[in-house]
């Protein structure tokens, strides 16, 4: 992500917005400082998504009544799940996804470029989530999505070895059922516990 978008203004944005210091921005964009890089991409993702939502809301004539600002103030797990499962939210999400699809097909080259940034950030966040929560199927679907990007950015080792890796992992239930069961329980990643020895 850093190599593609760093020279497109992401480096200057990170420094001028005080998300990263000037001395550490290059290391973060090159993947040397993981936590800072993830923080930067989360902040930029949220900012771009807010702009996109604002533009979407102003361009659509009939939106379902959904007060997102009020929801943020009242956010608890029960209220969040109620809203996410409501027909109004599903209608809102469907219209937003259709709007994004129209932008990908008919938008400007610059718009498509930054939409690809949002896609890559979502992929990165999904990979992190899959590893932290132990979601094996989400992890494999993310790996599958990474493969075309590895080819596109000439990451030959990833492009070459992710395909047989994914094939092996997809056939794990037949070849090594006990490993597959363990991975399905989330035992494919390791997290540091509260006690360190």
């Amino acid at each position: 992500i850093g190599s593609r978008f760093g020279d497109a203004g992401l480096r200057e944005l990170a420094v001028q917005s005080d998300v990263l210091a000037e001395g550490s921005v290059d290391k973060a964009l090159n993947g040397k400082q993981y936590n800072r890089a993830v923080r930067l991409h989360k902040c930029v993702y949220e900012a771009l998504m807010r702009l996109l939502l604002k533009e979407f809301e102003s361009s659509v004539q009939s939106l379902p009544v959904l007060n997102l600002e009020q929801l943020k103030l009242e956010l608890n797990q029960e209220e969040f799940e109620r809203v996410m499962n409501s027909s109004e939210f599903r209608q809102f999400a469907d219209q937003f996804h259709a709007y994004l699809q129209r932008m990908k097909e008919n938008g400007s080259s610059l718009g498509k470029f930054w939409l690809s940034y949002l896609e890559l950030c979502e992929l990165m966040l999904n990979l992190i989530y899959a590893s932290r929560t132990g979601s094996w199927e989400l992890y494999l679907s993310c790996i599958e999505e990474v493969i075309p990007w590895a080819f596109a950015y000439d990451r030959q080792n990833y492009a070459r070895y992710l395909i047989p890796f994914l094939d092996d992992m997809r056939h794990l239930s037949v070849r090594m059922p006990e490993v597959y069961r363990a991975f399905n329980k989330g035992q494919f990643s390791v997290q540091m516990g509260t006690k360190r020895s």
Side-chain angles (χ1 to χ4, degrees):
I1 298 174
S3 64
R4 177 175 177 166
F5 296 94
D7 293 332
L10 189 59
R11 179 177 283 105
E12 291 78 14
L13 177 68
V15 172
Q16 291 180 9
S17 62
D18 289 332
V19 175
L20 292 175
E22 192 168 354
S24 62
V25 70
D26 286 326
K27 289 180 183 174
L29 290 176
N30 291 331
K32 305 289 187 225
Q33 295 179 341
Y34 171 82
N35 289 337
R36 289 180 181 169
V38 170
R39 180 174 174 262
L40 167 67
H41 295 309
K42 280 182 176 179
C43 289
V44 175
Y45 176 85
E46 183 179 350
L48 289 176
M49 194 54 81
R50 283 175 181 256
L51 291 171
L52 200 55
L53 278 167
K54 195 176 288 187
E55 180 64 28
F56 163 69
E57 288 173 344
S58 67
S59 69
V60 177
Q61 284 78 24
S62 62
L63 269 177
V65 179
L66 192 64
N67 191 346
L68 297 175
E69 294 301 319
Q70 186 64 29
L71 176 62
K72 282 188 271 185
L73 296 175
E74 302 170 351
L75 200 60
N76 63 42
Q77 188 65 31
E78 186 179 304
E79 184 68 14
F80 178 78
E81 287 176 11
R82 185 189 65 74
V83 171
M84 292 292 121
N85 294 322
S86 68
S87 60
E88 292 87 5
F89 183 79
R90 275 188 252 119
Q91 184 183 357
F92 181 90
D94 290 342
Q95 287 183 3
F96 182 64
H97 288 299
Y99 174 77
L100 285 180
Q101 194 58 41
R102 284 193 303 274
M103 282 188 70
K104 287 177 189 175
E105 293 169 1
N106 308 321
S108 67
S109 297
L110 186 61
K112 291 176 186 178
F113 178 75
W114 286 105
L115 282 175
S116 71
Y117 175 81
L118 294 175
E119 284 180 46
L120 281 168
C121 283
E122 287 172 4
L123 180 55
M124 174 196 71
L125 294 171
N126 282 337
L127 265 170
I128 292 170
Y129 179 80
S131 295
R132 289 183 179 170
T133 59
S135 176
W136 180 240
E137 286 304 317
L138 178 60
Y139 177 77
L140 291 182
S141 68
C142 289
I143 294 296
E144 191 172 347
E145 286 183 51
V146 165
I147 293 171
W149 291 106
F151 277 103
Y153 289 107
D154 202 27
R155 303 288 189 204
Q156 292 185 4
N157 288 338
Y158 286 106
R160 181 182 304 145
Y161 295 118
L162 279 177
I163 294 171
F165 168 76
L166 184 63
D167 183 57
D168 286 344
M169 295 303 106
R170 291 277 187 213
H171 292 95
L172 206 57
S173 60
V174 175
R175 294 177 187 153
M176 301 174 129
E178 65 283 348
V179 174
Y180 173 75
R181 283 192 295 274
F183 282 6
N184 250 352
K185 292 178 184 173
Q187 296 172 359
F188 66 94
S189 64
V190 177
Q191 292 187 13
M192 206 181 295
T194 54
K195 295 181 182 178
R196 296 184 214 172
S197 51

